[in-house]
Amino acid sequence: MPLYFEDFQVGQRFTTPARTVTEADIVNFAGVSGDFNPIHTDAEFARSTPFGARIAHGLLVLSMLTGLRQRSGHFEGTLIAWLEIRNYRFLKPVFIGDTIHGETEILEKRETSRPDRGILVQKVRVLNQKGEVVQEGEFVTMVKRREGGA
């Protein structure tokens, strides 16, 4: 069920569904982004790195987080715009076969001069199947208010 600005409360938390990162995800992202760095695309090269295997693009995982958040239904039809990504950090590698999910906490909400929208600041984290935080930061988004504000 989609949530409007008024429905969110500071301190509120929610978890997204999970998904497994596949080789197809990495190949497709490389094709779309043009980032064919061998750490992502060359198994022999990747074996020689400190990671020991190919890893997912950091921005692929960030993109997956945005999709997982959308699948949660909280922002379905109510998200107006992304305004900012703050202090985003890539903490651990994500490997082919890892299963990730996202967590969101509402840090701040503020009204705008327009009665049909508000701003949310959210702490976001991506966790792997071991419960390790692999990415974290803050999203600032503009969200619809209910008809007529309030």
Side-chain angles (χ1 to χ4, degrees), residues 55-95:
I55 60 172
H57 304 73
L59 293 178
L60 167 60
V61 175
L62 172 59
S63 296
M64 287 177 163
L65 172 62
T66 66
L68 290 170
R69 283 170 38 98
Q70 192 63 26
R71 281 181 48 204
S72 74
H74 294 98
F75 299 99
E76 186 69 37
T78 59
L79 180 66
I80 296 172
W82 284 81
L83 302 177
E84 187 176 358
I85 297 176
R86 297 179 182 164
N87 305 313
Y88 205 81
R89 301 184 318 146
F90 302 88
L91 303 170
K92 290 184 178 278
V94 174
F95 297 94

Side-chain angles (χ1 to χ4, degrees), residues 17-72:
R19 68 163 293 175
T20 300
V21 178
T22 67
E23 177 159 352
D25 294 325
I26 292 171
V27 169
N28 288 326
F29 190 82
V32 168
S33 68
D35 180 353
F36 291 94
N37 186 312
I39 192 67
H40 310 301
T41 60
D42 183 333
E44 291 303 313
F45 173 84
R47 267 195 270 289
S48 70
T49 70
F51 303 116
R54 288 182 294 156
I55 60 172
H57 304 73
L59 293 178
L60 167 60
V61 175
L62 172 59
S63 296
M64 287 177 163
L65 172 62
T66 66
L68 290 170
R69 283 170 38 98
Q70 192 63 26
R71 281 181 48 204
S72 74

Side-chain angles (χ1 to χ4, degrees), residues 1-9 12-17 65-82 102-108 118-124 139-144:
M1 175 161 126
L3 299 176
Y4 290 83
F5 177 76
E6 295 84 357
D7 300 323
F8 290 100
Q9 302 303 320
Q12 180 181 11
R13 296 171 187 238
F14 60 88
T15 300
T16 71
L65 172 62
T66 66
L68 290 170
R69 283 170 38 98
Q70 192 63 26
R71 281 181 48 204
S72 74
H74 294 98
F75 299 99
E76 186 69 37
T78 59
L79 180 66
I80 296 172
W82 284 81
E103 295 180 348
T104 297
E105 177 183 359
I106 306 300
L107 297 179
E108 177 185 338
I119 306 297
L120 296 176
V121 178
Q122 305 136 77
K123 178 179 181 179
V124 296
F139 290 171
V140 181
T141 58
M142 183 180 297
V143 178
K144 287 182 184 178

